[in-house]
């Protein structure tokens, strides 16, 4: 029954496939471009949403399904969004003073280690700058 | 009455097959299942004061992740055209497309295995990652102890030492090393005994180095401070009033480990058993999130492969009865692709 329904809708699946491939390449390009982190996050997640829409609408045929899709998917979508929102104030926002041992108890030790690592990381950069002068 | 045709069965509910309705309800629960992971990951990441993002720390390979994304997209495309071929009653073509999907699914799992192996080889495993220099020092000592115990077990397992007490084992190995013309214990071939004599000095040095490190960790003093009791007491006597020995630093242990790994006699054992102790702040929670999400996704890939295998098993007997089954399996597969579409940017790019 359902396959007969779908046979009436002619979708250019190859075009959708190329759009998905292009979007994947775009995600990697956004990563390589080294833009400010929030901009990269927004762009990459926007591309992911676009890809998800393509897959759901055309590959999963939701574009051609009846209104039952809203009845079926609305509750799970609300619950899915609700979970992170419910967790966010308690864990994500950290409105209390954090006493995470990694950054609390050992904070001076970690900052010593990071400054040591950074001073070692600077050596190749300094060498690279010196190289053209030679 | 009996000649009257029965009225068509009343179809209740929504106008799709029950199997498809069931599958969509299942996918609804699956959406909540994965968003619980993804939502928790987002919340944990936002709530943490740090997060490992350097590929040198996480051993995340964007290229492999990108290739896997491409592989899943191609496989999704092949499933949709396989279903289309089934709808057109072109079952041979549908089988060919499905075979391609199966091959790509194996490829996806193969690439994932390579990624997992890379992480396991660097001990990027939940609960194993040192998050501070102090934890890194302890980790080196713990792993070195395992290496030492393994080396000395060779002597007890081989029959050179018939005691289980660690101190006695060390004493006997000391004797083996100290007496070049010593006689093998009864029942032990001479060449085995000579092999023990060759390895004993290196193993003893390995043991002393570890014991020295262990003592410095317990006392939390720099490796420059002598560990032997008499020398230690003399050094303490020479300290000015109120002065303390310098504390043990991660860099010292890192240098010691580098030196030990370069040693000809026992370096290979240390290299094989002691990981790079580089501290990664919030590395364990990162590893937990990574393995939980990608692991469950991989399980879903395997389930999808089983569904396709059932269809492929029909061989030339594949007919229109399987169209709905393939459509539902395809919907499941697209969902697996959908999850990866979000996992790729969140774990590999952001």
């Amino acid at each position: 029954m359902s396959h007969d329904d779908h046979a009436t809708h002619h979708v250019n699946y190859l075009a959708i496939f190329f759009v998905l491939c292009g979007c994947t390449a775009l995600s990697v390009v956004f990563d390589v471009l080294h833009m400010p982190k929030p901009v990269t996050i927004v762009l990459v997640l926007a591309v992911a949403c676009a890809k998800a829409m393509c897959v759901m609408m055309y590959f999963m045929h939701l574009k051609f399904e009846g209104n039952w899709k809203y009845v079926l998917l609305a509750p799970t979508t609300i619950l899915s969004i609700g979970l992170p929102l419910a967790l966010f104030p308690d864990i994500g926002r950290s409105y209390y003073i954090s006493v995470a041992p990694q950054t609390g108890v050992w904070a001076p030790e970690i900052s010593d280690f990071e400054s040591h690592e950074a001073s070692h990381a600077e050596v190749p950069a300094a060498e690279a700058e010196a190289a053209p002068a030679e | 009455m009996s000649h009257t045709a029965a009225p068509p069965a009343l179809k209740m509910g929504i106008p799709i097959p029950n199997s498809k309705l069931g599958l969509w309800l299942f996918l609804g629960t699956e959406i909540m299942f994965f968003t619980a992971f993804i939502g928790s990951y987002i919340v944990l990441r936002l709530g943490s004061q740090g997060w490992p993002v350097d590929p040198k720390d996480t051993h995340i390979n964007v290229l492999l992740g990108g290739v896997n994304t491409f592989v899943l997209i191609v496989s999704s495309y092949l499933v949709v055209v396989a279903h289309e071929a089934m709808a057109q009653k072109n079952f041979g073509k549908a089988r060919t497309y499905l075979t391609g999907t199966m091959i790509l699914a194996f490829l996806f799992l193969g690439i994932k295995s390579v990624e997992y192996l890379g992480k396991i080889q660097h001990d990027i495993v939940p609960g194993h990652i040192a998050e501070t220099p102090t934890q890194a020092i302890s980790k080196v000592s713990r792993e070195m102890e395992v290496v030492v115990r393994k080396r000395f077990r060779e002597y007890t397992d081989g029959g050179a030492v018939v005691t289980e007490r660690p101190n006695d084992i060390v004493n006997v190995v000391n004797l083996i090393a100290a007496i070049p013309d010593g006689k093998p214990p009864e029942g032990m071939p001479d060449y085995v005994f000579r092999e023990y004599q060759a390895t004993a000095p290196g193993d003893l040095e390995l043991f002393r180095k570890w014991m020295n490190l262990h003592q410095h960790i317990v006392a939390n003093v720099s490796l420059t401070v002598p560990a032997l009791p008499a020398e230690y007491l003399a050094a303490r006597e020479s300290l000015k009033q109120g002065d303390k020995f310098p504390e043990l630093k991660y860099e010292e242990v890192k240098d010691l480990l580098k030196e030990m790994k370069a040693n000809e006699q026992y370096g290979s054992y240390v290299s094989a058993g002691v990981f790079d102790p580089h501290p990664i702040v919030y590395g364990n929670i990162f590893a937990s999130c990574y393995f939980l999400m990608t692991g469950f996704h991989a399980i879903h890939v395997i389930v999808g492969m089983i569904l396709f295998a059932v269809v492929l098993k029909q061989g030339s007997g594949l007919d229109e009865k399987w169209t709905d089954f393939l459509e539902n399996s395809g919907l499941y597969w697209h969902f697996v692709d959908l999850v990866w579409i979000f996992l790729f940017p969140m774990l590999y790019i952001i």
Side-chain angles (χ1 to χ4, degrees):
Chain A
M1 178 181 150
S2 57
H3 52 268
D4 293 337
D5 294 344
H6 293 142
T8 58
H9 300 108
H10 295 290
V11 180
N12 189 348
Y13 292 119
L14 200 60
I16 305 295
F17 166 70
F18 283 123
V19 168
L20 290 171
C21 290
C23 285
T24 306
L26 206 59
S27 302
V28 178
V29 168
F30 287 148
D31 181 41
V32 174
L33 281 180
H34 294 297
M35 290 177 287
K37 201 77 187 166
V39 178
T40 309
I41 292 171
V42 169
L43 287 175
V44 162
L45 286 181
V47 169
C49 288
K51 282 165 75 178
M53 286 305 283
C54 277
V55 170
M56 287 195 295
M57 299 290 262
Y58 297 102
F59 282 3
M60 297 175 95
H61 299 132
L62 279 183
K63 189 174 161 61
F64 314 110
E65 300 290 4
N67 287 338
W68 61 264
K69 64 192 171 197
Y70 300 113
V71 180
L72 213 72
L73 292 175
T76 122
T77 309
I78 291 165
L79 287 170
S80 302
I81 296 168
L83 177 81
L85 288 179
L87 287 173
F88 187 73
D90 197 28
I91 303 168
R93 202 163 148 263
S94 299
Y95 53 83
Y96 44 80
I97 297 164
S98 174
V99 284
Q102 297 94 324
T103 51
V105 179
W106 285 292
E109 197 186 11
I110 287 173
S111 84
D112 280 355
F113 164 71
E114 283 175 349
S115 60
H116 176 83
E117 290 287 298
S119 66
H120 276 259
E122 280 164 16
V123 174
E127 284 172 0
E129 281 174 19
E134 287 169 13
Chain B
M1 283 290 280
S2 59
H3 298 292
T4 313
L10 190 61
K11 176 79 171 78
M12 301 289 283
I14 54 180
I16 53 171
N18 289 341
S19 61
K20 190 170 168 180
L21 173 64
L23 197 276
W24 268 109
L25 284 170
F26 171 66
L27 289 186
T29 66
E30 286 281 85
I31 290 169
M32 289 188 282
F33 180 80
F34 273 104
T35 44
F37 291 154
I38 294 171
S40 304
Y41 168 73
I42 293 169
V43 166
L44 284 170
R45 190 164 169 178
L46 288 174
S48 303
Q49 293 178 1
W51 199 265
V53 287
D54 192 338
K56 277 190 292 180
D57 291 339
T58 59
H59 294 274
I60 283 277
N61 191 327
V62 180
L63 182 68
L64 287 183
V67 170
N68 253 354
T69 308
F70 178 71
V71 165
L72 272 191
I73 290 172
V74 179
S75 72
S76 258
Y77 169 71
L78 290 179
V79 169
V80 90
V81 288
H83 175 238
E84 202 175 46
M86 287 283 277
Q88 291 163 357
K89 303 197 184 338
N90 195 342
F91 303 110
K93 210 171 167 184
R95 273 209 318 273
T96 311
Y97 288 137
L98 265 193
T99 308
T101 305
M102 281 293 270
I103 292 167
L104 290 170
F106 275 112
L107 183 62
F108 178 89
L109 289 180
I111 292 172
K112 194 100 272 278
S113 307
V114 170
E115 283 189 69
Y116 275 16
L117 189 67
K119 281 178 186 56
I120 290 163
Q121 280 172 342
H122 291 94
D123 212 25
I124 307 294
V125 177
H128 284 218
I129 301 165
E131 299 205 15
T132 65
T134 304
Q135 289 178 359
I137 292 169
S138 302
K139 185 170 187 261
V140 169
S141 177
R142 278 199 312 276
E143 288 170 354
M144 212 178 274
E145 184 182 349
V146 172
V147 173
V148 171
R149 283 182 184 278
K150 202 172 165 189
R151 286 302 308 147
F152 278 76
R153 206 177 302 130
E154 297 249 324
Y155 298 91
T156 49
D157 290 354
V161 182
V162 280
T163 173
E164 290 296 321
R165 290 178 58 196
N167 282 349
D168 293 347
I169 296 170
V170 172
N171 286 340
V172 176
V173 176
N174 232 328
L175 277 174
I176 293 171
I179 311 167
D181 56 349
K183 293 217 161 56
E186 205 178 311
M188 179 184 284
D190 192 57
Y191 73 93
V192 176
F193 188 65
R194 300 291 157 223
E195 274 178 28
Y196 282 141
Q197 282 190 315
T199 55
D203 291 337
L204 283 168
E205 195 189 330
L206 173 66
F207 168 75
R208 286 189 198 113
K209 291 254 182 193
W210 166 69
M211 186 49 88
N212 185 48
L213 173 66
H214 178 67
Q215 285 170 337
H216 282 84
I217 290 171
V218 171
N220 191 22
V221 290
S222 164
L223 289 174
T224 54
V225 177
L228 289 172
E231 291 174 28
Y232 175 79
L233 288 173
R236 204 172 65 176
E237 287 292 315
S238 65
L239 277 178
K240 286 180 192 163
Q241 187 73 28
D243 276 4
K244 285 199 295 190
F245 284 128
E247 288 185 356
L248 182 63
K249 291 277 179 199
Y250 164 70
E251 283 71 32
E252 291 179 274
V253 178
K254 198 172 152 185
D255 292 342
L256 172 74
L257 188 62
K258 196 174 167 188
E259 178 202 313
M260 289 177 75
K261 284 186 176 180
N263 187 286
E264 277 183 20
Q265 286 178 299
Y266 53 78
S268 57
Y269 307 122
V270 178
S271 299
V274 184
F275 292 99
D276 171 25
H278 182 80
I280 305 168
V281 182
Y282 288 96
N284 289 299
I285 198 153
F286 156 77
S288 296
C289 290
Y290 174 83
F291 280 107
L292 189 76
M293 291 197 283
T294 57
F296 269 108
H297 180 263
I299 291 170
H300 280 72
V301 170
I302 293 166
V303 171
M305 289 165 76
I306 293 168
L307 294 175
F308 293 140
V310 170
V311 180
L312 283 174
K313 196 171 172 286
Q314 306 310 312
S316 54
L318 190 67
D319 56 24
E320 63 265 29
K321 281 189 299 203
W322 288 90
T323 308
D324 280 351
F325 185 89
L326 181 61
E327 184 187 10
N328 294 334
S329 310
L331 282 172
Y332 175 82
W333 192 255
H334 297 314
F335 173 76
V336 171
D337 185 20
L338 208 61
V339 171
W340 187 256
I341 281 173
F342 286 102
L343 289 188
F344 172 61
M346 286 204 292
L347 288 174
Y348 290 76
I349 294 180
I350 295 171

